[in-house]
Amino acid sequence: MRSVPCSPSSWPASVQGGTGGRTAGIGTGHVIRGLERSEASGNSGSMSALHPPSVRVRNVVGQDMPDLLRLDREVFLDDPMPHSILRQFVDMFADHLLVAEDEDGRLCAYVLATPPHRGRSWIVSLGVASAMRRRGLAEQLMRESLENLRTEGAHTVLLWVEPTNKPATALYDSLGFVPDREGPRPDHFGPGADRILMTLHTTP
């Protein structure tokens, strides 16, 4: 799920100054660019792990670039992040890009957030490989990322979600995100790409 579109000109202010935004649709492949794409596809409710996968969660490193690019293209078939943009995110926000690797050392999930700016952060992208879905991995990554942001002083975390991505919406709701009262914003990410803004207020 992606919460922010790949075009820099349409990123929120916090992203334009050094942050990005995508959320890999939980199960649908496009819900978080801003939590628009998220891996919760097929999950429901709190998305608790049915069969916790054996994965190692860590910060991204430069050597992960080929595997991360492969993962992003696998998860976001219709909207993969350009190599140049993903490379810059790795360079600029390594401390806020968590990856999960499976027992074979292959990346199977990632979440990208923006560093707190005046107490606000965005979830830019959340993606989980299809073979690793329905195991609570998206929730695990989100919780670790949110805890890191709280520790760094973020008191507000935002993301965009596709109105039809019910699994992603359910995941964010279980984590405490609240949808904006405005409801879906027509064509927010382009013609036909409606989005709902969701906000989480944290306690640093």
Side-chain angles (χ1 to χ4, degrees):
M1 171 196 306
R2 298 190 194 278
S3 51
V4 177
C6 282
S7 170
S9 63
S10 56
W11 291 343
S14 65
V15 173
Q16 291 177 17
T19 58
R22 275 202 321 178
T23 311
I26 293 178
T28 63
H30 279 87
V31 184
I32 269 187
R33 271 193 179 180
L35 270 191
E36 189 182 277
R37 286 179 166 194
S38 96
E39 81 74 26
S41 122
N43 286 356
S44 60
S46 64
M47 315 250 176
S48 58
L50 299 178
H51 301 288
S54 296
V55 299
R56 175 192 175 208
V57 175
R58 57 174 173 79
N59 286 101
V60 72
V61 294
Q63 292 86 342
D64 290 322
M65 189 62 199
D67 208 17
L68 184 60
L69 192 63
R70 183 269 311 162
L71 174 63
D72 187 74
R73 289 175 175 174
E74 174 188 328
V75 174
F76 302 109
L77 295 175
D78 299 328
D79 188 22
M81 215 182 279
H83 186 289
S84 61
I85 297 298
L86 189 56
R87 174 76 257 185
Q88 291 179 77
F89 282 150
V90 170
D91 291 341
M92 295 187 295
F93 307 125
D95 290 343
H96 296 83
L97 203 171
L98 297 178
V99 297
E101 58 182 15
D102 62 22
E103 295 175 323
D104 296 322
R106 282 170 55 89
L107 299 189
C108 57
Y110 79 93
V111 61
L112 170 63
T114 67
H117 176 66
R118 296 180 180 177
R120 288 162 52 109
S121 292
W122 287 82
I123 297 297
V124 177
S125 190
L126 170 65
V128 178
S130 58
M132 300 298 285
R133 294 176 183 170
R134 296 181 60 83
R135 304 187 186 191
L137 189 50
E139 179 179 359
Q140 178 184 348
L141 284 173
M142 281 293 296
R143 288 190 182 281
E144 292 199 29
S145 181
L146 291 173
E147 182 57 32
N148 291 340
L149 294 175
R150 289 189 187 97
T151 300
E152 295 175 356
H155 54 72
T156 303
V157 181
L158 306 99
L159 63 84
W160 294 102
V161 63
E162 189 176 359
T164 58
N165 193 329
K166 302 304 180 184
T169 301
L171 171 63
Y172 304 135
D173 180 71
S174 74
L175 293 170
F177 284 86
V178 177
D180 188 76
R181 292 181 180 179
E182 276 189 41
R185 301 190 187 187
D187 305 326
H188 191 72
F189 278 4
D194 302 350
R195 293 295 183 273
I196 295 174
L197 178 65
M198 298 190 74
T199 304
L200 172 69
H201 294 293
T202 69
T203 301

